[in-house]
Amino acid sequence: AELLQLLQLAPDEYMLGKTVVFLRSGVLARCEAARARHLSKCFATVQARTRGRSARRNFHSVRSSAVLLQQTLRRRVKRREAARLAAEAAAAAAAAAEVPEDAELAGQAARLRAEVDALQAEAEPDWLSQAAIDVASVAGSVAGGAAARAG
């Protein structure tokens, strides 16, 4: 009886027997149409939520990949800048070593070395920072030796 009231059927459109519900002609078709509409809404809701969840997963995956790519490129740019500054610092240090009384060259070499250290600290994650400093100091001493030999 509650179901018949939910379907908003008028009392003259149905008759309740002891075990069977009797419906007038056309009422069953309306009931089936209402059922189909309700199931369609339910299926659409399930589909929308499933597609939304899938799209969010895909978005998070793409975003994390983009962030990783950006980090990698930023580090690469900073490493190149650090290498360029390290070469400048080595050249300035070599020039300052040739002319010990030139305080301006010594100051320039110290300033460039500080910039290189700062860039290396930004370019490398913490666990790589010590290795990067070791490599940079070796590269600096090699570049300094090459600049001294060239000069």
Side-chain angles (χ1 to χ4, degrees):
E2 288 181 31
L3 180 61
L4 296 172
Q5 288 174 354
L6 284 174
L7 292 172
Q8 298 174 348
L9 295 178
D12 63 334
E13 292 179 320
Y14 65 91
M15 179 72 77
L16 293 176
K18 287 189 174 189
T19 59
V20 180
V21 176
F22 298 97
L23 301 173
R24 286 194 181 224
S25 64
V27 175
L28 182 60
R30 284 192 350 232
C31 291
E32 289 295 326
R35 177 181 170 271
R37 281 192 306 273
H38 179 72
L39 287 177
S40 179
K41 281 183 184 178
C42 291
F43 290 144
T45 301
V46 169
Q47 269 186 340
R49 289 184 180 176
T50 303
R51 288 178 180 166
R53 183 176 294 126
S54 175
R56 279 188 294 279
R57 269 194 214 124
N58 186 39
F59 171 76
H60 290 301
S61 173
V62 168
R63 184 176 64 179
S64 65
S65 296
V67 167
L68 183 62
L69 180 63
Q70 289 170 351
Q71 286 176 346
T72 303
L73 291 176
R74 284 188 191 115
R75 284 186 184 134
R76 184 176 294 169
V77 167
K78 287 185 180 185
R79 280 189 204 114
R80 286 182 182 165
E81 180 68 14
R84 186 187 63 77
L85 284 176
E88 282 184 32
E98 290 176 10
V99 186
E101 65 275 353
D102 194 352
E104 183 180 335
L105 280 176
Q108 183 181 10
R111 181 186 55 78
L112 286 171
R113 186 75 239 162
E115 284 184 43
V116 168
D117 292 341
L119 274 173
Q120 286 174 340
E122 291 175 16
E124 298 296 334
D126 293 337
W127 59 273
L128 283 177
S129 62
Q130 186 59 42
I133 291 170
D134 293 343
V135 169
S137 64
V138 169
S141 64
V142 170
R149 285 189 297 272

